[in-house]
Amino acid sequence: MNAKALFTWIGAILGLLVTQALAQTKPAILTIHIDTPVSKVSPILYGLMTEEINYSYDGGLYGEMVRNRTFRANKSNVPYWILFEEGDAEAKMQVDRQTGPSEALNYSLRLDVTKADPQNQAGILNQGFWGMALMPNSTYKGSLYAKADSDALGELSIKLVSDAENKILASTRVRSPTANWTRYEFSLKTTAMQPLSANHLVITVGHTGTLWLNLVSLFPPTYHDRPNGNRIDLMEKLAAMHPAFLRFPGGNYLEGDHIPDRFEWKKTIGPLVDRPTHPSPWRYQSSDGMGLLEFLEWCEDLNMQPVLTYVEVGNEDYFDRSGSYDGRYEQFYKAIKAKYQDLQIIATTPVKSIRPDVIDDHYYRRATEFFHDTTHYDKTDRNGPKIFVGEWATREGTPTPNLGAALGDAAWMTGMERNSDIIVMSCYAPLLVNVNPGGMQWESDLIGYDASRSYGSPSYYAQVIFAQHVGDVTLGSNIENGGSKLFYSVTKDTKAKRIYLKLVNAASHAQAVDLKFTGGTLAKTGTLVMLNGRSTQATNTVEQPTNIVPVQSPLPNIGSELHYTAPAYSIQVIQLSQQ
């Protein structure tokens, strides 16, 4: 390269750098017309989508601590149950297909004790879902179905024991089983111990004989003290999301891999002993403890609407290449509308035979893809059909999303908010994941947990701050010099006269924004809620749950203009009050 060419090349590079620097420092100008509503915001825009995946119910939200409580067996053993022989006690266990406590559970675990005494007992041990989390001075409520070959078998001894020290942390006894199947209840109360999850359950007898067992259950204190209820810490995290609705029981989980594996709601109601359980499409057995009633109680506890006023026909039928969905949807549509005119019928893919009320769109993408598609619904026909974004997520980070994913999520949510006249509902998926080895079948997931701890991902906190600050109308606005990684939405709560401005700066540099307000007067002080970090790879974990969390602070000196700088990699909500 000759000297002239070299200098030309250097000049071009320097010019580009200067241009980029100026672009980074030049403020965006965002004008908001605070008295100019543009469209209505759906009152049920943000909700929850749930299904049995990643041990979301069993081993997750559902409070049951006993794993494989109905003694489902494989070819070689009864998973998660181990024969327990203390001292020189001797016994054997096997599944008995000839007797059980109900028609649904028409089998049982048979324990034949050939040698035992009160000091050398025999029985069975359950490992729980990667342990059994115990808290100090807490009561754990249990039950089981049992029968014995004779009264001589004696009482059942039930204990919670630490894995490492073999220390008894709580114990009780159940009266001697009879020759008939009977349900026995018990309570286990811990003392002033340290919180610990590496524990197990032991059930033993101190005499020889035969014992049959099924549906061995143990629950910690539950949210709102519901029997057969949900884990408190996870419910509190869901409550903080202010969900307006619950989509249940979930797509693949609803359909199953085969027709016999589908979610049959009629088999999930009534006493637990009358629920036969069924295979999950994610390769483990569902206890069906989370049945139809429990889903409705979940809605009641979090003040959500169940998606009942809406009915979805199928799930992700764009994968079906047979071409049959269009006609089948029409049949369902007409049959349902003939009896229940007010129900809204959701299609899982566009159909031509009849106009659907709502279409369910699913998106699993990288952050960059969402950045480039935030205007996806800007030109959608406002005459319908309405849109349900029934599953979506930025899939970056494992087992839960990182900050980069949260930026992609927040950018996408600004687009959904701007179009929330046509988008009637939206929900992130999957919602939950057990972070223990073997607990995850799908990356990335909003909330992570093990037996005793839980945490929200950066994407979770993005959901929280968006859902906590949303109005009932969108406002007129326009932006100049916004750049390719600055996203926003603005809504207004017309009753409270509150304005919510969401700003997402997904760039690696800070972005100055000059805010201009027309059409009204604002209070001089507002509120800023900020979620940000130094790297897109920054994240939260079960060991470090608060690396990336929202921070709230006052925002002073508000007038008809506000000069604001959005930090790099930041999601913020600015709350303003109209005087």
Side-chain angles (χ1 to χ4, degrees), residues 106-146:
N106 56 7
Y107 62 94
S108 56
L109 184 79
R110 173 173 172 158
L111 179 72
D112 292 298
V113 181
T114 55
K115 185 178 181 181
D117 59 60
Q119 287 72 46
N120 298 278
Q121 298 201 0
I124 54 175
L125 178 155
N126 188 263
Q127 303 165 315
F129 292 91
W130 295 276
M132 291 188 170
L134 299 178
M135 297 294 291
N137 303 310
S138 299
T139 299
Y140 296 80
K141 296 179 180 179
S143 63
L144 55 82
Y145 283 81

Side-chain angles (χ1 to χ4, degrees), residues 382-397:
R382 262 45 198 174
N383 294 316
K386 297 286 189 178
I387 304 296
F388 174 28
V389 186
E391 295 182 30
W392 69 273
T394 304
R395 298 194 67 199
E396 295 182 20

Side-chain angles (χ1 to χ4, degrees), residues 70-83:
T70 55
F71 300 102
R72 300 281 305 188
N74 57 31
K75 292 181 180 180
S76 59
N77 58 39
V78 182
Y80 315 111
W81 289 97
I82 297 171
L83 185 66

